[in-house]
Amino acid sequence: MAAWLVRRLVASMAIVFAVVTITFFVVHLAQGTPCGGERPLPPDVCDRERAVFGYDKPLPVQYVKYLAALLHGKMGYSFGLHRPVADALADAIPNTFILALAALLIDFALGLALGIYQAARAGRFGDVAAGNVALLINSMPVFWLGLVLLLVFAQWLRWFPAGGPHNPILCPRVDSPYCLLDFLWHLTLPALTLGLVGAASTARYQRAAILEVVRQDYVRTARAKGLRERRVLLVHALRNALLPIITLFGLAFPFLFTGAVLIETVFAWPGMGRLAVNAIFQRDYPVVTGAALLTSAMVVLGNLLADALYAVADPRIRVRGGEGGP
Amino acid sequence: MPTARPRAGLTCAALACLILVAGCERPVGCTGEYCGTMVIASGGEPDILLPPVSEFSITRDVTDQLFLKLADLGASGNTIGDEDFLPQLAQRWEWDTPTTLVFHLDPRARWQDGQAVTAADVAFTYDAYTDTLVNSSFRSSLRQIAAVTTRDSLTVVFRFRRRYPEMFYDAVYHQRILPAHLLREVPRDQWRSAAFGRAPVGDGPYRFVAWKAGESIELGADSTFFLGRPHLRRVIWRFTPDQQGAVTQLITGDADAVEVLVTPDNVQRARADSALATYPYKGAAYGYVGFNLAAPGDSTKPHPLFGDRDLRRALVMATDRERVLRNVFGDFAKVPPGPLSQLWWIWDPEIRELPYDSGQAARLLTRTGWTDSDGDGIRDKDGRPLAFRLLLPTTSAVRRQYARLLQEQFRIAGVEVQLDEVDFSLYNERARAGRFDALLNVWNTDPTPSSGFPQTWTPAGFGRSNYGRYDNPEVDRLVDQAVASAANRDQARRAWRAAVETLNRDAPGIFLFATSNVAAVHKRIADVTIRPDSWLALLRTWRIPADRLTDRDRVER
């Protein structure tokens, strides 16, 4: 197990390194200038700034310098934000992480419940209706669903705020239960948007997994023993049907982080996605590369965690030295 | 009753939560004239709160509440002479000689850390703004000032290189005076990343409270401000990814004010909301199709199409600018009589320009050899179709809408236009490098044409803002005369008018729109006065009467 973990960690680092390298070259080779904002910098001012940031050097030299700085734990300075990239990311990461976590909770809680419900009523009206609704949500682009929820619940009904993580007057910080509720109130729509889309696909996987399991002999035996159908499904079938969901858990990370890019923009949520989008438009190279580094690290770690959970959860799977992961 | 106990438990728990939450609400206590809180929704965020090193208008909005100028533009917007300027940090001023301007600082002025504002701060500020290490974009605006020296702790002397009509404007408008005692030790080449810029100490009506990156900036009123205590106790900027998001926050009641409602739809929505008041004011922007007069990528050769003055004139006359403008802006913009913003005092609807005349445009095209020889609807000459590419940024909904409407108008005239829609960063790079046929550009202007116009429409702007490399020595001469030699406003106006009319005859672009802005502010906020060049310049006088305060105005922290 330890050897497997070490190998996976090394492979993960290689993946992150590859992502950083590709991002670095792609963003630097993309046309455009970091000096072109709302009021573009005059050329002489821009040239001096580019020299200060070392952007006038050949790209391979910049790359080597960037890697050397990374090895010393430095992610560079933002051209557009006028602050260390690490500081900007440190401000944004908690927001993205909380949003992703809340969305993950909604995704799996709702997805599992719906999948079980559908499996229990397979082929009946409830199953078909829920399946079609899930398909409809799953087919919607995540930003579109966000805009619809924003329009209905923030603009028309005014049940939820239109954006941002706090009420800046009453709760600029989460320092009381009231402000915690305020924060959760602000979190609801963006988390629901991301979570609903995820839940729709989780439900389909879960339904299929349970229907697969209920055909197994041990389930038939449980029924033959006279157990109630609810107990058969929730105790006997569900435990084995949960295994594919662990795989889904690993897959959910990339979706959550890419989805967050759009959702953070729609809901003015100050997370890493919004930071990265702005940085891409402004050609703020160190921020784009830093955001890619962190996102890929989190996705890779998420998958690593899912693999480990899979191995722990399923006693039939044994991780052997020569075979990689499950 | 087996179910009674759990339900009672649940009710008790919910009640406890409610009491807990209610008990933790902020106390509501402030009463009187100085309790208001205003939330401004903004489609952008400042990069740094240090005026010399930021070019963003949102930075200017915030820092204008923190840092004072020596004097500020008056309501007339007149930038010539000094009679329409209002004292700020300087209590008074006089001219020792025609090129020597002496300011006397207000002895009551204090930095918010308690230190007095002195003449040394003014001299330090000028030195910083003009230092190549600080690398301020405003440096070029101060080039006519030869030196700034102190006479005593409250007297500062500006010496100019020569005499010209807007000397005073140049001395006071571009610089916000900075605290020397806090910035002197910061290396000049590190000002763009100075910690001061994220938690500044100023001398203005508001003091810095907090900046949550990507989220909000909060300022609190300085109750000891020497020019009078601001009425609004707190001003908070909430940042959204774009201006439309800001408008949504306003409509949903999450914000109290936005600078610009952008589209006629938004204006209608704001006017339909009984809680909001709208405030129209002159816009500082104008938009145009700029023709590249040089070959794309090679400025030594003329453009194969737009090097021809007659072709450019024909395209201007083929464009029904009024109709397109109504489609996009409704009543919230005007067709400009040249490359002018409504903010400029030289705006004059009587300036002569090429008319919309599709018949004359067609005749001119035919006369210059552009005919539809193959009947495909597109004119051609020597086997080459009359076609060009129009560069525009994807980030501007207005320009994208304009591009499509223009494309259709040109198609009717027998001209094929392909749209090059690229992101803003690439747009700027290509515009500056001259890698385009024509572009759909917008300029946000200063209150005076004296700096922006020459930079955009004379060779002084080659490689900078004169993207299309327009060059007419007669225009240059008239602009020089207007900027530098005019003895008075009338003489300057005549010179400007002649320059714009000459330029219009050359048709270096199609001048499409000059914006009229509409701001929206919550109705509980009274005495809202907007100065068009800087909408929050008079924020200090906005107030919320005591009888209109809401809980969120009164809330204490």
Side-chain angles (χ1 to χ4, degrees), chain A residues 9 12-13 15-17 19-20 253 257 272 290-305:
Chain A
L9 279 172
S12 299
M13 285 170 68
I15 291 169
V16 172
F17 174 76
V19 169
V20 167
F253 277 86
F257 286 113
M272 236 164 48
L293 168 72
L294 277 186
T295 309
S296 60
M298 281 193 270
V299 169
V300 164
L301 280 176
N303 277 281
L304 195 61
L305 184 67

Side-chain angles (χ1 to χ4, degrees), chain B residues 302-354:
Chain B
H303 190 279
L305 291 178
F306 301 128
D308 180 354
R309 183 173 181 264
D310 282 342
L311 175 66
R312 299 196 306 263
R313 286 169 62 88
L315 291 179
V316 172
M317 288 190 286
T319 308
D320 187 350
R321 297 181 292 156
E322 194 68 45
R323 191 164 142 217
V324 183
L325 182 134
R326 293 283 158 250
N327 262 300
V328 179
F329 284 105
D331 294 330
F332 302 107
K334 289 180 179 170
V335 171
L340 308 173
S341 81
Q342 291 192 57
L343 189 62
W344 286 349
W345 59 272
I346 60 169
W347 175 277
D348 180 358
E350 301 302 314
I351 289 174
R352 281 192 296 273
E353 52 184 327
L354 294 172

Side-chain angles (χ1 to χ4, degrees), chain A residues 31-33 37-38 41 43 45 48-49 77 80 82 155 158 162-163 166 168-170 172 175 265 274 283, chain B residues 26 47 55 57 135 139 192-193 212 214-215 238 241 248 251 254 269 423-426 428-429 432 463 557:
Chain A
Q31 292 183 317
T33 164
E38 174 197 352
L41 289 177
V45 175
R48 276 193 291 272
E49 281 302 294
Y77 234 86
H82 302 302
Q155 212 159 309
R158 303 205 178 180
H166 303 287
I169 301 172
L170 301 174
D175 57 1
T265 304
R274 199 172 129 199
R283 303 293 189 272
Chain B
R26 304 286 179 190
D47 46 356
E55 290 74 31
S57 59
N135 202 18
R139 195 161 62 97
R192 282 183 188 265
S193 53
K212 298 188 80 177
E215 201 176 320
R238 277 187 93 157
T248 302
I251 299 290
D254 290 342
R269 283 164 70 197
D423 76 26
F424 205 74
S425 173
L426 181 53
N428 277 326
E429 187 184 75
R432 188 156 280 162
R557 295 240 185 89

Side-chain angles (χ1 to χ4, degrees), chain B residues 43-65:
Chain B
E45 181 175 1
D47 46 356
I48 185 168
L49 296 178
L50 189 51
V53 290
S54 179
E55 290 74 31
F56 291 1
S57 59
I58 176 67
T59 303
R60 183 208 58 202
D61 288 345
V62 178
T63 55
D64 275 0
Q65 312 309 321

